[in-house]
Amino acid sequence: MSAVAFDQVTKKFGDTVAVDEFSLQIADGEFMVLLGPSGCGKSTALRMIAGLEEISSGILTIGERVVNHIPPRERDIAMVFQSYALYPHMSVENNIESPLVANKRAKVDATERTRRVHEAAETLGLTEYLARKPGELSGGQRQRVALARAIVRRPEVFLMDEPLSNLDAKLRTQTRLELVDLHRRLGTTFVYVTHDQVEAMTMADRIAVISDGRIQQVGAPQDVYEKPANLFVASFIGSPPMNTILGTLQGATENAAASVLTAEGTLAIGHPGSAQPGTELVLGIRPEHLHATDPVDAPGAVRATIQNIELLGHERHVICTVGATQMTVRQPNDAPPLAIGQAVSLHADPAEVHLFDPVSTERLN
Amino acid sequence: MNTSPLNPTEQAQGESAQVTTVSAPAKAQTRRFGNKVRDAGLAYLFLLPALIIFGVFAYYPLYRLFWYATHTQSRFRNKPASYVGLEQLKASLTSNDFISGLTHSGLYMLYTVPLGLLLGVMLAVSTHRRLKGIKVFQTIFSSTVASSVAVASVVFITLVNPEIGYFKNVPWLSLRNPTSALFAVSLSSVWQNLGLTFIVVLAALQTVPDELIEAATLDGYGAIRRFWRITVPLISPALLFLGIVLVVSALQAFAQIEILTGGGPSGATETLLFKIADPRGIRPLGVRASYSLGLFVLTAIVAGAQYSIMSKRVHYGD
Amino acid sequence: MATDPTVSAANEQNRLNQTAEKIVDPLVPAPYDNDKAVQSPRSGLRNAVATTTTYLVLTALSVIVLFPIYMLLLRALSSPLKYISAGQPLYPVSIEWDVFNRAFGQASLGRSMGLSFVVTFVIVIAQVLTSVLAAYAFAFLEFPLKKLAFVLVIGTLLLPIEVTLIANVEIIRKLHLLNSVPGLTFPFLVTAIGIFLIRQGFLGIPRDLRDASELDGYGHLRFLFKVAMPMSKAIIGSFIVIAFLGAWNQYVWPRFATDRGAWQTVQVALRTIGSENPGELNLGFAAAIVASLPLLALLIFFQRQIVRGLTAGAVKG
């Protein structure tokens, strides 16, 4: 088991900066998820830990060791690829034992090797498939062979590059649970790359949200969700995404709390933090913290028209137009009925309103 | 936590498809670590046999051809050759002998390529259908792949030899007549290449999706229009490829000439390579080297076309 | 996955168009299936006529292809002088089955067949070896002057043996290798086609798999033998078959790299066997049959590889 630390690590492909001055401490035994849209640099960061990409500048350490110039096979890491990367011409057994056979440094004798392979196969329920070729297995089974190949070498760090994205939705949910369970049992450091926020939220000890090659925010899933550091994180995490609207801050007075004046009315908010009255800002409200009520022109609310209502069974999403912006309200199914085209007032839970600087996009409150 | 469990599958899959393309940097196939000097050493070690052979038996001979073409060899081997510059090369490549060789090779191409392609397509098209026993016909049609140029020439002795050939009295197949001899010889090439042409065209036909033909049928195309407007364009890469292969083999025709006519009658079947190889040894080395350089230029033109087509084919994943 | 509404709409549109065509055209006779096995409804009689016609055409074409082979068999088995005096009919005259024995005995067909096998095996084994190694270097290794090396390999496509023939004969003569196995094989121990084909196979190995093997700790040699070659089995197999085809069928080089009958490969020997004595003409025809047998076996047992090999690269036979 080992910690992994990025210290101002940068990766350039020619003139393109894929990873820009990453600094990130991944604790020993932690389940760290690197989350971001495609092309954001998260996979490159993972491949640098693996040693599959050279580091342009900065320092990368695994445990106590600076690994910048250490070849992959000597890094004591294991990786699960999105495509699983199984050797199609080898049996499941040979695939699993491959890292123990190929790596001269592994120094594992034949009996120990067989024992470990069978142990890994048992852990992942693959014992009866050991003699088969990967082509004869289902997608989920192949994915487990890839996992078995990773755990058999007992690495310091597990790296996973979108390992669930080739599975169907149902299998993905199930495998998510199994991965969390595996992490708990092994207690090893996991670094997991995904673009899927649900995977990140459900599995991670901490999430590093990445965009344009930079780390936007690092924190526990709940913290990242509740206190997004900037507009990117705010809109990337949460489904449906956070509502945003432009406005001007108005200070608190004796009989009114602080509020934000928008084009379609004024929204009451909680403590404005460092923001000064009169500043332009972007208001962010999660759909579950926005409420639609019948009476139009209610105080502390904005005027809206209902454009569409999506029924999801356990809840519904009411999509409204507020001037030129669109805002979504999440409601329980048993809330009072609303009609498309109806005019409503939208007001927010004042304590749950997020304020962002429109220029720097940083969080203000 | 109150996040939605919804995670639309299609979004995730679209995304994953992008991930592989976007995050894959160019030149990813090489290893990034390990000893770079050692890797380069290994590469040279692996390439060494190939480069030595190519050097000694492809590039050095090319240099030697230039050398021979710019020197005249004395009749007596012990006397040194004398340098004559481009004189000999120029004279050789404008000589009637060379022009006639070029003409014969050109005619050979003209006789073999279109006819070979046409017959190959006919054979392939006629067996590209579901019929009882079609496998037997397919095997028959591909059988000439097993014959070499030399075997095909011996086979054609039984057909066109002026004394014992079955068709010795057919005037347009006569090896005795200078105007028909080359054509008669060329038929042996056409026959010998049938197997190859058939196999390649049939393989190409099998890649044409049935639905396309069915759709065309439903659209009201007749069989002939369907063939020309749909099948032919779709198999045209294979036809182009075959065309080049046949052109090259016509350019290199030798065994069939030597075995069937020995270049006669009165030199009427002396192709370019026949004059270069010169089995009777009547031309000086410098002249034959000059001819070889002429053949080199022709080969370069054809091989250039071949390479550009090959790399395109490779691009489609073949 | 959700269906794209525009796509399904377009499909619907297509279907409608096709239905419309069908309705408009019922009087036009169904197209005659000349090029494709599209089963369209037609009467049993018409069907039978079409099938019979097809078989007739196929049989006619078979006769064209097989007639030369039949003539070869006929001439090989018939006693030459008796056949000629019978007026060269289309049937055998006084069959001589021992013609093959005599070809091996009198015309030393055995020796030239043996030499052909030796030369072919040397060439095929060497070509596979050199092509695999060179292809590995081009596919998986980074080294200075890689581009130049690749251009040099491509360049040899412009330098077939036919072009460099006379210079190569002089080189072999100077090396005192005329009439020897090295002389017959040296210029063919490497081939650009083989390097291309196998390199293409290597490049088809997914990037993730190469990365995984790197993490697993494979060295270059182990990766080559345990992963790259097994995964390129099909391509290497096809290449072996077409390399055999090419090497066995060689004529021009063995013809001029030897000046003694004892060193003639079977293809070259075909030129002279039985040609001296009109009474022994059939020996030459029998030899041609024997010379084709190895390839016939190849065609029967490795049909798939032959098709793939011929389709993938330019190979002349």
Side-chain angles (χ1 to χ4, degrees):
Chain A
M1 286 182 278
S2 283
V4 177
F6 287 88
D7 185 10
Q8 298 201 303
V9 171
T10 297
K11 173 69 189 176
K12 287 181 187 162
F13 294 112
D15 290 337
T16 336
V17 181
V19 169
D20 194 1
E21 301 210 341
F22 252 48
S23 290
L24 178 65
Q25 309 285 327
I26 302 168
D28 190 1
E30 185 171 26
F31 197 133
M32 171 64 80
V33 172
L34 307 183
L35 173 69
S38 60
C40 73
K42 58 189 191 299
S43 282
T44 309
L46 191 79
R47 292 169 60 82
M48 284 195 285
I49 304 177
L52 296 170
E53 301 289 355
E54 271 180 279
I55 292 164
S56 305
S57 66
I59 295 167
L60 179 67
T61 45
I62 298 177
E64 303 291 299
R65 212 159 46 133
V66 174
V67 294
N68 284 41
H69 298 293
I70 292 181
R73 66 164 92 170
E74 290 163 29
R75 289 191 180 195
D76 219 351
I77 43 99
M79 183 156 166
V80 177
F81 292 83
Q82 182 179 353
S83 63
Y84 315 142
L86 302 178
Y87 304 109
H89 58 292
M90 295 185 195
S91 68
V92 168
E93 178 161 15
N94 292 141
N95 263 287
I96 297 176
E97 72 177 3
S98 165
L100 302 181
V101 177
N103 200 340
K104 287 179 219 124
R105 299 163 49 91
K107 292 193 188 100
V108 180
D109 66 37
T111 30
E112 168 69 0
R113 196 161 69 212
T114 319
R115 203 185 60 73
R116 281 215 226 166
V117 168
H118 282 88
E119 187 186 86
E122 185 137 353
T123 308
L124 290 152
L126 290 167
T127 310
E128 55 184 305
Y129 305 112
L130 281 175
R132 293 208 197 161
K133 297 263 173 78
E136 300 162 327
L137 301 180
S138 72
Q141 287 164 342
R142 276 180 233 176
Q143 206 265 354
R144 290 213 295 278
V145 176
L147 276 175
R149 182 172 67 181
I151 62 176
V152 78
R153 64 193 291 171
R154 300 188 178 152
E156 298 281 317
V157 182
F158 273 102
L159 307 177
M160 305 201 182
D161 192 358
E162 311 243 8
L164 305 185
S165 57
N166 286 339
L167 301 179
D168 65 45
K170 193 175 157 198
L171 205 52
R172 200 182 303 173
T173 316
Q174 184 194 330
T175 314
R176 241 159 43 200
L177 294 172
E178 286 174 8
L179 279 180
V180 172
D181 196 46
L182 189 68
H183 175 247
R184 201 173 294 137
R185 265 187 291 163
L186 298 173
T188 313
T189 315
F190 273 44
V191 185
Y192 185 107
V193 159
T194 184
H195 64 271
D196 182 336
Q197 47 149 327
V198 179
E199 283 174 24
M201 296 297 285
T202 51
M203 292 193 287
D205 291 329
R206 281 195 305 157
I207 299 175
V209 184
I210 300 169
S211 167
D212 290 335
R214 290 168 181 275
I215 294 180
Q216 305 293 326
Q217 186 174 7
V218 183
Q222 201 61 32
D223 291 344
V224 174
Y225 185 78
E226 285 172 0
K227 290 254 178 288
N230 57 35
L231 266 175
F232 174 80
V233 178
S235 58
F236 192 75
I237 291 184
S239 176
M242 183 184 278
N243 299 301
T244 52
I245 189 166
L246 261 171
T248 314
L249 182 67
Q250 293 179 319
T253 57
E254 269 173 42
N255 38 12
S259 64
V260 172
L261 178 66
T262 74
E264 298 297 320
T266 309
L267 269 173
I269 62 167
H271 194 271
S274 58
Q276 292 303 310
T279 46
E280 287 261 299
L281 40 69
V282 177
L283 203 66
I285 310 150
R286 296 233 176 254
E288 61 267 30
H289 300 137
L290 198 60
H291 306 283
T293 45
D294 225 352
V296 190
D297 290 332
V302 290
R303 293 178 293 276
T305 311
I306 296 177
Q307 191 190 4
N308 202 355
I309 300 173
E310 292 181 335
L311 301 174
L312 297 171
H314 63 296
E315 64 181 25
R316 65 186 187 208
H317 298 165
V318 182
I319 295 145
C320 312
T321 46
V322 180
T325 14
Q326 199 176 58
M327 299 185 97
T328 305
V329 179
R330 172 186 272 167
Q331 291 185 330
N333 243 4
D334 51 4
L338 295 166
I340 294 173
Q342 187 182 342
V344 287
S345 291
L346 299 181
H347 57 91
D349 295 337
E352 305 289 353
V353 169
H354 310 264
L355 301 178
F356 301 96
D357 186 303
V359 182
S360 72
T361 77
E362 296 298 317
R363 184 180 185 87
L364 294 171
N365 60 337
Chain B
M1 206 180 341
N2 196 21
T3 48
S4 160
L6 280 184
N7 175 42
T9 319
E10 61 267 28
Q11 183 215 329
Q13 281 173 354
E15 178 102 27
S16 69
Q18 278 176 5
V19 167
T20 38
T21 51
V22 171
S23 58
K27 276 217 253 171
Q29 67 267 36
T30 53
R31 297 179 168 227
R32 289 131 300 238
F33 288 88
N35 192 325
K36 275 180 190 164
V37 178
R38 217 174 52 199
D39 275 15
L42 192 69
Y44 289 130
L45 192 68
F46 279 6
L47 283 175
L48 198 64
L51 293 180
I52 287 178
I53 298 288
F54 282 152
V56 177
F57 296 105
Y59 288 102
Y60 176 66
L62 182 64
Y63 160 77
R64 289 304 290 171
L65 288 179
F66 274 107
W67 194 91
Y68 291 135
T70 50
H71 289 75
T72 49
Q73 203 87 32
S74 160
R75 262 177 217 287
F76 308 99
R77 282 212 170 251
N78 51 358
K79 275 200 173 177
S82 52
Y83 178 74
V84 290
L86 295 179
E87 210 175 284
Q88 179 176 233
L89 185 66
K90 229 186 279 173
S92 304
L93 294 184
T94 49
S95 68
N96 286 338
D97 189 42
F98 180 75
I99 303 289
S100 85
L102 210 57
T103 313
H104 296 148
S105 288
L107 280 175
Y108 203 82
M109 231 178 262
L110 215 63
Y111 294 152
T112 54
V113 181
L115 185 60
L117 276 180
L118 190 75
L119 282 174
V121 170
M122 265 176 67
L123 294 184
V125 159
S126 63
T127 58
H128 181 53
R129 59 189 70 224
R130 289 170 226 128
L131 264 186
K132 223 184 212 163
I134 203 71
K135 275 264 166 224
V136 176
F137 291 106
Q138 289 178 350
T139 308
I140 290 172
F141 293 168
S142 51
S143 62
T144 71
V145 164
S147 76
S148 64
V149 183
V151 167
S153 309
V154 172
V155 167
F156 267 66
I157 288 179
T158 70
L159 301 177
V160 296
N161 181 281
E163 267 126 40
I164 61 160
Y166 185 73
F167 297 115
K168 63 180 176 186
N169 295 325
V170 178
W172 49 277
L173 288 177
S174 169
L175 291 185
R176 285 223 169 91
N177 186 342
T179 50
S180 61
L182 194 64
F183 176 72
V185 174
S186 78
L187 288 182
S188 76
S189 288
V190 171
W191 180 78
Q192 190 237 335
N193 284 323
L194 272 185
L196 167 77
T197 333
F198 167 74
I199 287 175
V200 174
V201 176
L202 185 65
L205 285 175
Q206 282 163 351
T207 63
V208 177
D210 280 2
E211 290 84 1
L212 223 58
I213 304 295
E214 280 159 8
T217 312
L218 293 176
D219 286 349
Y221 281 98
I224 291 166
R225 278 209 304 161
R226 206 163 63 210
F227 178 72
W228 284 109
R229 303 185 89 170
I230 292 159
T231 310
V232 168
L234 283 171
I235 64 168
S236 62
L239 295 180
L240 205 58
F241 164 77
L242 277 175
I244 284 164
V245 172
L246 293 181
V247 164
V248 169
S249 76
L251 211 52
Q252 297 170 346
F254 175 76
Q256 52 277 62
I257 313 285
E258 187 178 32
I259 292 175
L260 285 170
T261 68
S266 53
T269 55
E270 285 193 353
T271 56
L272 198 48
L273 185 60
F274 190 88
K275 288 176 193 283
I276 290 170
D278 199 28
R280 274 164 295 158
I282 49 175
R283 294 173 187 86
L285 195 57
V287 171
R288 292 158 61 203
S290 304
Y291 290 2
S292 296
L293 291 174
L295 181 62
F296 169 62
V297 172
L298 291 176
T299 309
I301 293 168
V302 180
Q306 177 190 15
Y307 179 71
S308 67
I309 289 168
M310 251 175 67
S311 46
K312 221 180 272 169
R313 286 165 58 81
V314 164
H315 190 72
Y316 294 137
D318 199 32
Chain C
M1 269 183 62
T3 48
D4 184 344
T6 53
V7 170
S8 55
N11 285 344
E12 183 64 16
Q13 195 54 46
N14 269 344
R15 206 179 57 75
L16 286 177
N17 285 349
Q18 288 163 3
T19 324
E21 290 275 357
K22 241 187 198 164
I23 294 165
V24 170
D25 267 359
L27 295 179
V28 176
Y32 186 61
D33 269 348
N34 220 0
D35 60 291
K36 191 73 195 187
V38 176
Q39 301 298 320
S40 46
R42 58 164 83 101
S43 75
L45 181 65
R46 280 199 58 149
N47 229 335
V49 169
T51 310
T52 313
T53 316
T54 308
Y55 279 123
L56 283 177
V57 169
L58 285 169
T59 309
L61 289 170
S62 300
V63 168
I64 295 177
V65 173
L66 290 179
F67 182 68
I69 297 175
Y70 174 74
M71 285 307 287
L72 183 71
L73 286 169
L74 183 67
R75 302 299 301 248
L77 293 175
S78 301
S79 165
L81 299 176
K82 286 179 193 158
Y83 178 79
I84 291 169
S85 53
Q88 309 208 30
L90 275 176
Y91 48 85
V93 173
S94 81
I95 291 182
E96 286 184 13
W97 286 107
D98 73 329
V99 63
F100 295 102
N101 281 333
R102 282 170 51 217
F104 276 96
Q106 265 166 269
S108 63
L109 180 59
R111 183 186 159 90
S112 51
M113 281 294 281
L115 183 63
S116 274
F117 271 115
V118 170
V119 166
T120 302
F121 280 127
V122 169
I123 289 177
V124 171
I125 291 168
Q127 285 191 348
V128 171
L129 218 70
T130 54
S131 298
V132 163
L133 293 181
Y136 190 87
F138 285 125
F140 297 118
L141 293 169
E142 206 52 66
F143 55 94
L145 300 179
K146 186 174 179 174
K147 278 228 173 83
L148 176 68
F150 198 63
V151 168
L152 283 176
V153 172
I154 292 175
T156 64
L157 287 176
L158 315 185
L159 296 166
I161 195 68
E162 286 80 2
V163 167
T164 56
L165 178 70
I166 59 174
N168 265 322
V169 170
E170 294 304 313
I171 289 168
I172 291 293
R173 190 199 307 280
K174 274 193 192 126
L175 294 173
H176 301 291
L177 292 176
L178 284 181
N179 305 310
S180 71
V181 172
L184 285 167
T185 54
F186 271 8
F188 300 96
L189 300 183
V190 190
T191 153
I193 301 277
I195 296 175
F196 286 150
L197 271 181
I198 297 174
R199 168 178 164 270
Q200 213 51 45
F202 285 169
L203 289 178
I205 295 172
R207 176 185 179 232
D208 276 0
L209 212 60
R210 295 195 291 259
D211 287 345
S213 73
E214 203 172 343
L215 291 177
D216 282 353
Y218 282 79
H220 283 297
L221 284 183
R222 188 185 278 272
F223 180 72
L224 171 60
F225 289 113
K226 297 282 176 179
V227 181
M229 281 181 68
M231 286 189 70
S232 310
K233 256 196 325 231
I235 273 188
I236 294 175
S238 301
F239 172 65
I240 288 175
V241 173
I242 57 168
F244 190 99
L245 214 68
W248 183 265
N249 285 345
Q250 292 242 41
Y251 182 87
V252 176
W253 178 249
R255 166 79 175 80
F256 293 99
T258 56
D259 52 16
R260 266 185 249 142
W263 285 94
Q264 285 181 344
T265 60
V266 69
Q267 305 290 338
V268 178
L270 286 182
R271 185 173 69 97
T272 45
I273 293 180
S275 65
E276 265 104 67
N277 182 350
E280 290 179 344
L281 275 171
N282 55 342
L283 292 189
F285 300 130
I289 294 170
V290 173
S292 309
L293 291 181
L295 296 190
L296 213 58
L298 211 64
L299 186 66
I300 292 166
F301 295 114
F302 299 101
Q303 200 165 17
R304 207 150 37 106
Q305 283 81 356
I306 288 189
V307 171
R308 220 179 5 218
L310 292 181
T311 325
V315 167
K316 37 198 181 76

